[in-house]
Amino acid sequence: AKKPPSLEKAKSLLKEALGLSRQIGQRAATLKQIARVTIRQGDLDRAENYLEQSLDLYKELYGENKNHINIAAVKFQQGALAIQREQWEQAWMHFSDCIRIRRIV
C-alpha cells in the first residue's frame, strides 16, 4: 500500500486550493480542512484562527443567524479543539451550538 502524504503536504495542497477558491463556500470548507490538519500538527492557536475564518465566511454565506449543517460542522470542530485545550466550558458551548443546529437541519 502506498504511504499517505504527510500532513505538511496536505496543508500545502489545501492552501493552494484556498488560493484558487473563488466561492465563499469553497473557501470556508477549505479553511475548515486546513484547521483539521493544523490541529493534527499541534498548532492549536493557528487552527482556531482558521476555524474562526471559516465560520465568518459561512455566516456571510448563510446569514448571521442561519442554521446550516456547515456551521454546525465548524462548531463541532471548535468544540473538539476546546477539549484538546481542556477548555471545558468553551467545548460545551460549541457542542451545544452544534447540537442545536443539527436538531433543526
Side-chain angles (χ1 to χ4, degrees):
K2 190 174 180 182
K3 184 179 177 185
S6 68
L7 291 173
E8 199 53 51
K9 179 69 173 172
K11 191 172 183 178
S12 173
L13 291 171
L14 284 165
K15 284 187 172 187
E16 184 179 334
L18 183 63
L20 299 173
S21 298
R22 298 288 174 245
Q23 296 179 340
I24 291 175
Q26 289 175 338
R27 291 183 61 77
T30 303
L31 283 164
K32 185 170 76 76
Q33 293 305 318
I34 292 171
R36 292 182 69 192
V37 171
T38 306
I39 288 169
R40 291 196 55 200
Q41 291 177 316
D43 190 348
L44 304 184
D45 290 339
R46 186 161 293 165
E48 181 178 31
N49 184 269
Y50 288 130
L51 288 171
E52 287 171 3
Q53 288 179 55
S54 176
L55 188 60
D56 287 345
L57 288 174
Y58 278 136
K59 285 180 178 179
E60 182 180 334
L61 182 62
Y62 303 125
E64 189 68 32
N65 297 314
K66 184 74 173 175
N67 295 312
H68 195 278
I69 192 148
N70 290 333
I71 291 175
V74 174
K75 287 293 187 179
F76 180 86
Q77 203 64 51
Q78 287 177 313
L81 177 61
I83 283 184
Q84 284 192 311
R85 291 178 155 170
E86 298 183 0
Q87 296 173 334
W88 311 120
E89 287 185 35
Q90 282 291 109
W92 176 258
M93 285 180 11
H94 292 305
F95 286 140
S96 294
D97 286 345
C98 175
I99 291 169
R100 179 187 53 77
I101 294 168
R102 291 288 297 162
R103 284 185 176 148
I104 296 168
V105 295

